[in-house]
Amino acid sequence: SRSGSKKDSAPRGVQAYLLRRAMAPRSPRRPRLAVTAALASLAAAPAARAFRGGEGVLARDQCHVQGGPDKFRDAKEFWKKHGGESWYKRGASWWEKNSEASEHGVLNGFEALGPGDIAASAKFLQEAQAKRRGHETKLALDAGAGIGRITKHLLSTVYDKVDLLEGSQRMLDEAPKYLGDQSGHLGHMFQRELRAFVPPEDQVNHYDTIWVQWVVIYLTDDDFVQFLKACARALKPGGIIVIKENVLFEHNGPQHLLPGGGGGGSSAYDGSVTRSPKLMEDIFKDAGLKIDLERAQAPWPDTMLPVTMWSLVPCQP
């Protein structure tokens, strides 16, 4: 898991778990992080309904909903211009240069938000499991695992074994030591980028839960769809895919995608994006998944972009 976003100061989070790189505070190490006009408008907008859907179960059938071809034109145009290998090099370069392999590093110095994050995730996971008949607790996958923060504090307390999927070998090397007493729950560790995740034949219908937190900000929309399709193939019957991620405010108007580091123009993009809730839902639909449960992260500082948790299941069981 990595980081999140501040709405009222220069942004840029770091790992793919918590406070998203597009919005961490300024520091001498991040000179190019000016506050963008988009962020300024977020700061000016009221935060009253920053948390979307936090009051109830929002299961709905997206499998037969048709979206308009131009609905997400801004996102499509963005990726047409900025996607590709150069996008991923930006993200990988920033991450390797700026984040140490520690809880402080993966949370970009916001460790104080960790306990509330885990408590809300634990409650959400319990609810999501209860909705799935036949759900087991034998094996989970922590995707974009970093050093294994989610595995240590949550998944290892629920599942017998947890596999880690992480693009940085440096982070994986630290994981067994970091897990400490929970290391007995550690399964396999895969050094692989999310966009390269393809479950082998012996891992089809393999996982009870795949947890993906603060990391899909680094994927292009097309690769995000393909990653979710791969996760669906790796899921057991009765299993769930959990996405936990920062989203744009609903009152942010027609904008569906905000690149991180954009205050300095396209040359300053840091390889991460924050998406609107509607764009996230469209990506889930394109991957053949439907929302089984949705909640907002709470408590959460109203000076940061909201965080939403989704439990996704395949449209075709």
Side-chain angles (χ1 to χ4, degrees):
S1 64
R2 307 198 180 166
S3 253
S5 309
K6 261 204 165 184
K7 77 174 183 181
D8 57 358
S9 66
R12 168 122 166 180
V14 57
Q15 212 200 11
Y17 288 54
L18 212 148
L19 301 102
R20 155 173 170 65
R21 280 210 277 150
M23 284 119 176
R26 280 184 188 172
S27 76
R29 295 175 65 186
R30 302 185 181 105
R32 63 184 184 177
L33 302 178
V35 181
T36 64
L39 289 172
S41 68
L42 289 177
R49 293 308 302 161
F51 298 120
R52 174 177 175 275
E55 291 77 22
V57 175
L58 298 179
R60 43 188 194 280
D61 183 3
Q62 294 176 284
C63 300
H64 306 292
V65 176
Q66 297 297 320
D70 296 327
K71 186 175 182 181
F72 302 106
R73 180 182 294 177
D74 63 326
K76 291 179 173 65
E77 289 298 318
F78 177 85
W79 293 121
K80 185 177 180 180
K81 185 175 181 179
H82 300 290
E85 288 302 316
S86 62
W87 179 260
Y88 289 106
K89 287 179 181 178
R90 289 175 189 267
S93 174
W94 194 96
W95 182 238
E96 289 300 317
K97 289 178 181 178
N98 292 278
S99 294
E100 63 186 38
S102 68
E103 195 160 303
H104 175 84
V106 300
L107 294 182
N108 199 28
F110 288 89
E111 298 98 313
L113 294 177
D117 162 55
I118 295 296
S121 293
K123 181 179 179 181
F124 179 83
L125 179 58
Q126 187 176 37
E127 287 185 84
Q129 289 174 322
K131 287 176 61 63
R132 299 295 289 161
R133 182 174 298 178
H135 184 84
E136 298 181 317
T137 57
K138 294 179 180 179
L139 182 62
L141 176 67
D142 186 351
I147 58 174
R149 184 182 73 92
I150 302 299
T151 292
K152 178 176 182 176
H153 297 299
L154 175 61
L155 298 178
S156 66
T157 68
V158 177
Y159 296 91
D160 297 340
K161 292 288 183 181
V162 184
D163 290 348
L164 307 186
L165 174 67
E166 168 58 40
S168 171
Q169 188 61 53
R170 178 170 61 94
M171 295 290 171
L172 285 179
D173 289 343
E174 186 65 24
K177 178 181 177 181
Y178 168 76
L179 291 174
D181 293 342
Q182 297 300 104
S183 61
H185 294 273
L186 180 61
H188 299 290
M189 296 192 295
F190 304 104
Q191 195 269 307
R192 198 172 306 159
E193 294 182 358
L194 264 62
R195 61 179 173 140
F197 175 57
V198 178
E201 288 301 318
D202 63 349
Q203 290 180 357
V204 172
N205 300 332
H206 193 58
Y207 293 106
D208 300 301
T209 290
I210 299 176
W211 192 280
V212 191
Q213 181 167 344
W214 283 314
V215 67
V216 298
I217 59 174
Y218 300 105
L219 292 175
T220 66
D221 289 358
D222 287 345
D223 286 341
F224 189 1
V225 170
Q226 294 306 312
F227 168 68
L228 288 175
K229 288 181 177 180
C231 288
R233 290 194 297 274
L235 208 61
K236 282 183 183 177
I240 56 175
I241 301 166
V242 175
I243 303 292
K244 185 169 185 176
E245 192 57 84
N246 291 90
V247 294
L248 296 176
F249 292 105
E250 284 198 325
H251 52 241
N252 197 40
Q255 184 177 17
H256 291 291
L257 184 147
L258 178 67
S266 61
S267 64
Y269 289 160
D270 64 10
S272 66
V273 293
T274 302
R275 296 174 171 95
S276 69
K278 287 183 171 60
L279 179 55
M280 294 289 280
E281 292 170 8
D282 192 70
I283 288 171
F284 302 156
K285 176 178 68 69
D286 286 348
L289 301 171
K290 61 183 178 180
I291 297 171
D292 200 44
L293 180 68
E294 178 178 352
R295 292 266 194 249
Q297 165 68 35
W300 190 251
D302 63 9
T303 55
M304 289 183 172
L305 288 178
V307 173
T308 299
M309 297 173 280
W310 295 272
S311 176
L312 307 176
V313 299
C315 288
Q316 300 297 328

